[in-house]
Amino acid sequence: MAFSRISKLDPPSRGIFRKAVVMLCSLLASFLLLHLLTDRCTTTATATSNSPARASSSRAAGLFQDLNSLRSKRLVYEWTAGSELNGYGTAVRASAVLADERATQVLELPEESLVLPPPDLVVSRRVSPRFAGKVSPLGEGSKKLPQALIIGVKKGGTRALLEFLRVHPDIRAVGAEPHFFDRNYHNGLEWYRELMPKTLEGQITMEKTPSYFVTREAPARISAMSRDTKLIVVVRDPVTRAISDYTQTLSKKPDIPSFESLSFKNRTTGLIDTSWSAIQIGIYAKHLDNWLQYFPMDQILFVSGERLISDPAGELGRVQDFLGLKRIITDKHFYFNQTKGFPCLKKAEGSSKPHCLGKTKGRTHPNIDPEVVQRLRDFYRPFNMKFYQMTGRFFGWDD
């Protein structure tokens, strides 16, 4: 009897179960539909939103991703206001810190500042204060103010010395003459620094401007930049130097007066015109007095222009010692060019071919009246003797 009652209740239980399953499925379908509608509305709202804060956040997220990518590639962007990283190794170690600091700062920048660096900029690591906020791409080394200067003298052999020195792997030099301490000082040291080549740790930055030696303001200005600056002066027989100076001017201005007429205020009395720059430059002792007010003698090296022709390796050895560099430039780097009459490099910097100075070097001097030459030698003799005493070196110009 009891069994028959249970059998009669079974059909209603199965019906209730079916209804529960249908209701559950409907509920799940409703939740799914609601989720899809909500997601669509959110997407639409994001796409149509013009809020600066939302746009900035989106771009910031993209920038975070790019910064991480840059860091993974070990690209360093120097965002400091004027400080320099010392050497390539230090820059690599600092890359992660710089990237993290920049990523932290980026959310605080206005929208117009959130501009990614161009992907093809991969040459430099340094940004000067004048370019704060702009990206300087990665490269080897950084630009530094020169630690050594070739300051003179005009027509003494400064170009030859610079070209020879550039063969040394630890010397990087500007090719053109910056004329910063005589003509462009008003542009400031940062302008000057930007002219310099990039150097690695241990390399020396150099430039040459021969007119510095006779510029009265130059010693004080260079000392203000750095009292440790090493100075190199290429000197030459002042009479020969004056004739060479005149020859260069004559090639540009063929109508200038003769050398003889420019050399004297009064040829009859033999009074030399020291206001003429060709004559004035050769009074080396007078100009050196001005430099010694700001620099000790052991920071100034005098190179013989004559020996730079007859024994280039010997003079280059002295220069390398003065700069504290290993003697890498030796006799094997030179050969004597009979046509030009001076030594040339067997292999120039960045080239596997021989290199001689241009056609403007080694010009044929005009014939000068021997009497004028002798009077000039007599004029320069006391100044030369004083110069020998000051420098402790005999150059042999009065033999």
Side-chain angles (χ1 to χ4, degrees):
M1 189 72 162
F3 179 77
S4 62
R5 286 180 183 175
I6 294 174
S7 299
K8 289 181 180 178
L9 290 175
D10 282 345
S13 298
R14 286 196 293 269
I16 292 173
F17 177 75
R18 291 194 198 95
K19 289 180 181 180
V21 171
V22 172
M23 290 178 64
L24 181 60
C25 291
S26 299
L27 185 60
L28 290 175
S30 299
F31 279 128
L32 178 60
L33 180 60
L34 181 61
H35 174 73
L36 292 175
L37 289 173
T38 303
D39 184 65
R40 182 175 181 82
C41 290
T42 302
T43 304
T44 304
T46 302
T48 57
S49 173
N50 293 319
S51 169
R54 188 179 298 275
S56 177
S57 177
S58 176
R59 298 185 68 184
L63 185 55
F64 269 125
Q65 184 177 356
D66 282 272
L67 284 170
N68 287 330
S69 176
L70 290 176
R71 184 171 54 185
S72 66
K73 296 176 183 177
R74 308 186 80 179
L75 295 177
V76 180
Y77 292 97
E78 193 172 330
W79 296 91
T80 56
S83 64
E84 291 188 359
L85 296 177
N86 295 321
Y88 180 71
T90 306
V92 172
R93 290 192 298 272
S95 61
V97 176
L98 290 173
D100 287 341
E101 289 177 352
R102 186 57 184 165
T104 303
Q105 296 169 5
V106 75
L107 288 180
E108 300 173 1
L109 297 175
E111 182 182 2
E112 57 269 21
S113 299
L114 298 176
V115 180
L116 288 174
D120 57 331
L121 295 179
V122 287
V123 182
S124 168
R125 283 193 293 111
R126 190 180 185 284
V127 177
S128 71
R130 295 187 299 123
F131 302 108
K134 296 184 181 179
V135 174
S136 180
L138 178 67
E140 293 190 0
S142 60
K143 294 185 177 183
K144 301 180 181 69
L145 292 170
Q147 298 93 46
L149 300 171
I150 300 175
I151 60 173
V153 296
K154 181 182 179 185
K155 306 309 297 178
T158 58
R159 173 55 60 182
L161 177 61
L162 183 71
E163 293 301 315
F164 295 163
L165 284 175
R166 292 174 77 179
V167 174
H168 200 292
D170 290 332
I171 293 178
R172 297 297 309 280
V174 181
E177 297 174 3
H179 283 279
F180 176 66
F181 295 104
D182 56 354
R183 302 177 190 172
N184 297 304
Y185 194 65
H186 61 279
N187 289 326
L189 284 174
E190 191 58 32
W191 177 88
Y192 186 46
R193 187 201 303 267
E194 290 297 325
L195 299 180
M196 298 300 118
K198 293 175 187 174
T199 52
L200 300 174
E201 188 70 20
Q203 289 184 319
I204 293 176
T205 303
M206 291 187 66
E207 69 110 325
K208 77 104 176 173
T209 303
S211 55
Y212 290 163
F213 189 63
V214 297
T215 301
R216 188 157 191 81
E217 300 81 10
R221 291 171 174 177
I222 295 173
S223 178
M225 176 186 73
S226 173
R227 293 182 180 180
D228 297 324
T229 305
K230 293 187 176 183
L231 309 172
I232 301 173
V233 189
V234 187
V235 289
R236 182 182 183 187
D237 181 338
V239 177
T240 308
R241 196 221 66 81
I243 296 173
S244 180
D245 197 339
Y246 173 80
T247 303
Q248 183 183 50
T249 305
L250 184 65
S251 68
K252 299 175 182 177
K253 301 177 181 179
D255 57 343
I256 62 171
S258 67
F259 179 86
E260 291 83 353
S261 62
L262 291 171
S263 298
F264 297 96
K265 286 184 177 179
N266 188 322
R267 187 169 181 179
T268 303
T269 61
L271 184 62
I272 303 296
D273 187 358
T274 57
S275 65
W276 185 29
S277 63
I279 298 294
Q280 188 183 80
I281 291 173
I283 310 175
Y284 303 139
K286 174 185 174 183
H287 303 301
L288 181 55
D289 269 334
N290 187 32
W291 286 90
L292 292 179
Q293 295 179 38
Y294 298 90
F295 292 92
M297 186 63 81
D298 60 6
Q299 267 181 246
I300 308 175
L301 178 70
F302 294 91
V303 175
S304 168
E306 288 81 13
R307 286 184 61 82
L308 202 56
I309 295 175
S310 63
D311 181 22
E315 287 299 283
L316 265 293
R318 294 179 62 245
V319 177
Q320 291 171 93
D321 291 345
F322 175 68
L323 295 175
L325 299 174
K326 182 179 179 181
R327 285 198 177 194
I328 291 178
I329 306 172
T330 61
D331 282 322
K332 67 181 181 181
H333 289 90
F334 302 98
Y335 74 96
F336 191 84
N337 188 301
Q338 297 291 344
T339 303
K340 289 183 173 291
F342 50 77
C344 300
L345 289 169
K346 291 180 179 178
K347 292 182 181 180
E349 179 197 27
S351 174
S352 59
K353 299 179 180 179
H355 172 69
C356 285
L357 298 179
K359 62 181 180 181
T360 60
K361 306 299 178 181
R363 295 186 183 95
T364 302
H365 292 177
N367 292 323
I368 307 298
D369 186 339
E371 180 187 354
V372 174
V373 173
Q374 187 57 50
R375 287 193 180 184
L376 284 175
R377 294 204 176 281
D378 294 339
F379 166 78
Y380 279 120
R381 185 171 290 107
F383 296 108
N384 291 344
M385 293 302 171
K386 183 180 179 182
F387 183 66
Y388 298 162
Q389 292 175 350
M390 295 172 76
T391 60
R393 186 176 184 188
F394 180 72
F395 291 89
W397 298 325
D398 303 285
D399 291 349

